Amino acid sequence: MKPWCGVEPGFAMDPEEQKIKELTEALLEKMGVRGEVSVLETTENLQFSIRTPEARLLIGERGENLIALNYILRRMAEAKIGKTKLPFSVDVNDYQKQKAEELKDLARLSAQRVRYFKKEIELRPMSSYERRIVHAALTEYPDIITQSVGEAPNRRVVIKPFTPA
């Protein structure tokens, strides 16, 4: 079964987007995974969203397979198209979207605790992508500062109260 591509109404794909969609569909087919591929334009990038009943296979433990899938598709796109001008990502059954919302909630809750107790909080080790979400979520808090500390793979975000000099 060939994957289906849904495109948001009023959204016309350019040839580069079409090629990336086709690469995604071809990879799913070679993996023997049934799924639908849709294209969504977000403020940050172009999102190729896969809907499948076999999400566990594509997502993996703690999203490791999904990270690898994104890497492989980027390399395939570079080989087929050349250096792509389009920043894009692949999500499966809104896994990354839900994960990002959970991280934003954690960041906001931690910021409230830092405000209340006036003590820094160190979060669990995170990938650079996850740390970026936390930093971005807390930019709207003028009385809070964030900092990444440690070495990979144990790099983490520290949330501190801002004290003017």
Side-chain angles (χ1 to χ4, degrees):
M1 171 193 285
K2 190 162 173 80
W4 171 84
C5 175
V7 177
E8 290 295 304
F11 179 79
M13 277 195 284
D14 72 18
E16 200 169 297
E17 294 167 10
Q18 182 66 33
K19 281 193 168 91
I20 295 169
K21 179 189 79 61
E22 289 168 2
L23 286 170
T24 305
E25 292 172 342
L27 185 59
L28 288 177
E29 196 170 318
K30 286 184 195 280
M31 293 173 68
V33 173
R34 292 176 294 121
E36 297 177 359
V37 179
S38 59
V39 183
L40 307 167
E41 198 166 352
T42 68
T43 56
E44 294 120 29
N45 66 10
L46 193 63
Q47 180 96 41
F48 292 88
S49 181
I50 300 170
R51 292 267 176 227
T52 177
E54 302 170 71
R56 289 183 86 177
L57 175 69
L58 296 177
I59 295 169
E61 190 173 329
R62 292 182 308 230
E64 291 171 356
N65 293 0
L66 185 53
I67 292 167
L69 181 66
N70 272 279
Y71 177 80
I72 289 168
L73 280 167
R74 267 191 226 94
R75 295 303 150 256
M76 288 172 65
E78 285 175 10
K80 184 98 169 173
I81 304 167
K83 193 69 172 170
T84 178
K85 69 180 186 309
L86 292 172
F88 74 90
S89 64
V90 179
D91 197 1
V92 176
N93 292 1
D94 292 331
Y95 174 82
Q96 285 184 324
K97 184 178 177 182
Q98 292 169 356
K99 187 92 167 149
E101 287 306 314
E102 289 171 13
L103 284 170
K104 289 175 188 176
D105 290 344
L106 172 67
R108 291 181 194 113
L109 178 62
S110 297
Q112 294 301 327
R113 295 173 96 190
V114 166
R115 280 178 166 165
Y116 184 78
F117 293 111
K118 305 282 189 235
K119 292 182 83 174
E120 70 181 46
I121 292 178
E122 193 170 294
L123 301 179
R124 65 170 173 74
M126 297 179 185
S127 68
S128 60
Y129 172 76
E130 292 171 322
R131 290 192 314 274
R132 198 169 327 132
I133 290 170
V134 172
H135 290 301
L138 297 181
T139 57
E140 61 194 49
Y141 290 77
D143 57 336
I144 298 291
I145 57 173
T146 61
Q147 178 183 11
S148 289
V149 298
E151 298 293 319
N154 294 315
R155 201 150 164 80
R156 56 192 72 225
V157 175
V158 176
I159 304 171
K160 303 176 184 182
F162 176 71
T163 52

